[in-house]
Amino acid sequence: MAQIGLIGLGTMGAALALNIADKGFSIAVFNRTGSVTTDFHAGAGALAPRITPTQTLADFVAAITPPRAIILMVPAGPVVDDQIAALRPLLGKDDLIIDAGNAEFHDTERRAKDAEGAGVPFIGMGVSGGEEGARHGPSIMGGGPRAAWDRVSPILSAIAAQYDGTPCATWMGPGGAGHFVKTVHNGIEYADMQMIAEVYGIMRDGLAMPATAIAPVFDGWNKGVLRSYLIEISAAVSAATDPVTGKAMLDVILDAAGQKGTGRWTAIEAQHLAAPVPVIEAAVAARNVSSRLHARVAGQGVYRAAPQAMAAGALTVADLEGALIAGKILCYAQGFDMLNAASKTFGWGVPLPEVARVWRAGCIIRSDMLNDMAAALTEDVSRNLMLAPAFVTHLQRTHTALRRVVAAAVLAGHAVPALSAGLAWFDMMRTARGTANMIQAQRDFFGAHGFERVDGQPGKHGPWGAHG
Ligand code: 6PG
């Protein structure tokens, strides 16, 4: 009998099943299209004896030792509901369903409530790391009943990525907490990628560097403060050559980016929570703008204003590195602040230092900096990261580079929406007296909404005549 089951042998599900078998666990697998299961098992090589392929749901359930744990790795959305509905009648009271797809956390909350109502356990689990991570060690963010998590955590910890011997698999809280943390991970992923794309654009168009010259720059950055998976792969994709044309691979890829929606969900939830994440919002918007290809081509025709080359010495590669360091810190400061807001609003008690810890390895946004973030959040969990001494030092050293880069980019017609959103947020967050007094006066003028005074004097309306 198998120790665990998995439904859905697409790219991620197949990789996760092999990972589980590789770590010494026996696993039953099922896929809606039976031939996929047969082929998967036939291709499992030395791991095949630990894998039980099944062709019906009933056989699948019967192949797993009760109380069962069943991982769903099927497309997010109605397919998950259909799969749960098909499974539940075959399961016992203590059998646990784990949705490991990229679910929208409201769906997970609903499924968790349904499961609670029926007295059966359900876990919503974020899994990051792409196919490679799923196969050899992803980062895992779980949510649901603590007792259910504890039951499966030995298997999940064994298959997760390890950072200095610590498994990157943690319980983030009840209900949809795990999928929420994964959603914010993806929002940050969008932002990290967008900021890298922005400095790449400055190197390509502003400093006239070919992709072959850009690759070693990313490589160099990957040995310093910015060391991370996304910088590493940016070096790799910059160095690659197109086998068809012999040109740099980057130069033959259309600049219109797709998305499956998790970044967008982060931006939407941030608005609901009134938690500002402008760098992520800018990154989501930039993807949407990128896909307006025809309008952009027409726009360039009308305004004849492609990004211009920058004067020699206007910016250095070191400026770009500094800008990226500052932008990254500001983006994560926003992301963790949003997680904190969500955790309070939903009463989840998300362990923020643990979030930083499980993101240190296995996931797409893994980076050295996350280790320092974990330390800063351990010192003071509710302090904004931009105020943590380690990051104050970084920001004091790099924020002028961010300003120089944004200013030079804007003057030369380069779009840097994420970097400039980070800078604007930074400037607002270090300004004790901003300009919302004007907003308050306007609101009071047209709607008698009232305001607070700075001097403690009586009165909360202005002398606006008929409106006062
Ligand atoms: C991960 C990724 C993954 C995501 C892809 C594509 O953590 O492994 O976040 O879950 O699905 O990165 O996302 P988009 O298609 O939205 O870019």
Side-chain angles (χ1 to χ4, degrees):
M1 295 275 273
Q3 290 162 282
I4 193 163
L6 183 142
I7 296 178
L9 292 170
T11 310
M12 291 293 283
L16 207 59
L18 290 176
N19 185 359
I20 291 170
D22 212 4
K23 298 295 176 323
F25 303 101
S26 53
I27 179 167
V29 294
F30 174 80
N31 194 77
R32 207 174 35 169
T33 309
S35 58
V36 172
T37 311
T38 312
D39 294 348
F40 168 74
H41 190 241
L47 297 175
R50 283 196 211 117
I51 299 170
T52 309
T54 59
Q55 292 295 333
T56 67
L57 264 190
D59 286 350
F60 169 74
V61 170
I64 308 164
T65 310
R68 299 174 182 86
I70 295 173
I71 297 175
L72 302 186
M73 202 43 130
V74 297
V79 179
V80 175
D81 292 307
D82 294 347
Q83 197 60 71
I84 292 173
L87 260 179
R88 274 291 172 215
L90 306 174
L91 298 182
K93 269 264 182 225
D94 294 329
D95 291 348
L96 166 66
I97 295 180
I98 304 166
D99 174 17
N102 264 338
E104 212 274 358
F105 91 100
H106 290 292
D107 285 342
T108 306
E109 289 271 287
R110 170 177 54 77
R111 290 172 189 137
K113 280 206 177 66
D114 289 350
E116 203 183 325
V120 291
F122 176 78
I123 282 181
M125 184 171 92
V127 177
S128 175
E131 183 183 1
E132 181 67 13
R135 177 65 185 86
H136 297 292
S139 169
I140 296 178
M141 297 143 256
R146 179 73 212 225
W149 171 263
D150 288 343
R151 230 177 79 192
V152 281
S153 96
I155 297 184
L156 299 175
S157 297
I159 64 166
Q162 314 282 317
Y163 183 93
D164 276 353
T166 306
C168 295
T170 298
W171 182 73
M172 297 300 174
H179 275 139
F180 190 92
V181 172
K182 176 64 186 0
T183 300
V184 175
H185 165 285
N186 279 31
I188 292 174
E189 174 184 308
Y190 278 42
D192 260 343
M193 293 165 75
Q194 174 63 25
M195 288 188 285
I196 293 171
E198 289 174 13
V199 297
Y200 153 74
I202 292 173
M203 285 192 268
R204 185 190 67 185
D205 302 326
L207 308 181
M209 291 166 65
T212 44
I214 292 172
V217 172
F218 282 129
D219 239 349
W221 292 352
N222 200 38
K223 296 182 176 76
V225 178
L226 288 172
R227 204 160 92 97
S228 60
Y229 174 69
L230 284 170
I231 293 287
E232 180 192 326
I233 67 166
S234 301
V237 300
S238 302
T241 304
D242 174 27
V244 179
T245 60
K247 294 180 181 167
M249 196 64 226
L250 273 180
D251 293 342
V252 298
I253 297 176
L254 192 70
D255 61 322
Q259 60 171 303
K260 296 197 199 74
T262 42
R264 182 190 314 136
W265 295 342
T266 312
I268 291 170
E269 275 325 305
Q271 291 294 340
H272 285 308
L273 291 162
V277 292
V279 180
I280 295 173
E281 287 167 350
V284 175
R287 281 208 196 182
N288 294 333
V289 174
S290 81
S291 66
R292 300 286 196 277
L293 185 60
H294 296 301
R296 290 192 289 116
V297 171
Q300 179 163 337
V302 171
Y303 294 102
R304 311 213 161 279
Q308 293 152 27
M310 292 172 178
L315 282 182
T316 64
V317 160
D319 286 330
L320 297 176
E321 182 184 21
L324 214 44
I325 292 169
K328 188 176 171 92
I329 294 169
L330 297 168
C331 165
Y332 281 69
Q334 295 167 13
F336 277 104
D337 187 61
M338 175 179 173
L339 278 174
N340 204 11
S343 179
K344 285 188 182 138
T345 302
F346 301 117
W348 285 332
V350 173
L352 293 191
E354 285 304 313
V355 174
R357 280 190 196 104
V358 297
W359 287 351
R360 290 179 304 183
C363 67
I364 302 293
I365 63 170
R366 60 187 182 261
S367 73
D368 279 7
M369 218 188 256
L370 276 159
N371 196 36
D372 301 333
M373 291 182 185
L377 289 163
T378 305
E379 278 164 24
D380 183 345
V381 77
S382 53
R383 176 186 56 197
N384 190 290
L385 276 180
M386 67 169 270
L387 300 176
F391 293 104
V392 171
T393 306
H394 277 308
L395 283 171
Q396 276 172 340
R397 201 172 54 77
T398 56
H399 78 89
T400 50
L402 176 60
R403 192 174 305 284
R404 270 199 303 280
V405 167
V406 170
V410 168
L411 285 173
H414 297 250
V416 284
L419 288 172
S420 48
L423 180 61
W425 181 80
F426 179 64
D427 283 339
M428 289 182 84
M429 289 295 285
R430 61 189 193 126
T431 300
R433 177 148 175 84
T435 57
N437 50 322
M438 173 57 106
I439 311 279
Q440 288 297 74
Q442 291 165 337
R443 291 177 70 236
D444 190 52
F445 188 98
F446 64 64
H449 294 290
F451 48 69
E452 284 181 65
R453 299 179 59 106
V454 295
D455 54 8
Q457 294 293 326
K460 57 191 196 87
H461 294 290
W464 325 122
H467 297 279

